[in-house]
Amino acid sequence: QVQLVESGGGSVQAGGSLRLSCAASRYTTTTSRMAWFRQFPGKEREGVAVIYTRGSRTYYADSVKGRFTISQDNAKYTLYLQMNSLKPEDTAIYYCAADFAGAGTTWTRVGGYEYWGQGTQVTVSS
């Protein structure tokens, strides 16, 4: 089992920045990818950004490109999401997710990740 614990959420004014962290209880040599998702009230979770462990390829949702940066520190088993130029429409619960099995699914697919954190609230006021 792997535990994922997010932190760093909070309230910020539009234009501000936050950095989310996701501490994993362990990584493995087979860790395939880790990602950030977010969920708006009454909506399904949507992919925000992903990083592939080998090669560090990253992909982003169009809505956050140029504003958010995903990164990882393998030595600390920690995933990050630097969020700049935040907008009110970024207000959501943010979740980190881990795919250890190499599901091979499109990175935005929720079902492609075995482990999820509990979520952290991000609120952006105008």
Side-chain angles (χ1 to χ4, degrees):
Q1 279 289 344
V2 176
Q3 285 77 46
L4 303 176
V5 180
E6 299 103 335
S7 61
S11 298
V12 65
Q13 289 191 328
S17 298
L18 285 173
R19 188 175 82 154
L20 305 183
S21 299
C22 172
S25 56
R26 65 183 180 94
Y27 277 12
T28 74
T29 56
T30 62
T31 302
S32 176
R33 59 190 174 181
M34 294 193 70
W36 289 98
F37 283 72
R38 64 186 180 185
Q39 189 166 21
F40 304 111
K43 302 290 186 181
E44 295 184 354
R45 291 182 191 183
E46 65 175 38
V48 175
V50 66
I51 186 165
Y52 286 80
T53 304
R54 294 179 181 177
S56 298
R57 289 173 291 139
T58 59
Y59 299 96
Y60 297 89
D62 287 343
S63 58
V64 306
K65 280 181 182 176
R67 300 189 298 124
F68 291 10
T69 302
I70 188 171
S71 62
Q72 61 185 10
D73 184 333
N74 289 341
K76 296 181 179 179
Y77 299 169
T78 302
L79 179 73
Y80 301 101
L81 184 68
Q82 178 66 44
M83 305 186 295
N84 298 328
S85 302
L86 282 162
K87 305 176 181 179
E89 51 264 44
D90 293 317
T91 296
I93 299 174
Y94 285 71
Y95 298 88
C96 68
D99 170 15
F100 282 14
T105 58
T106 302
W107 73 268
T108 55
R109 186 174 177 181
V110 170
Y113 300 84
E114 305 98 290
Y115 300 103
W116 292 84
Q118 81 288 353
T120 186
Q121 177 70 47
V122 171
T123 302
V124 184
S125 58
S126 58

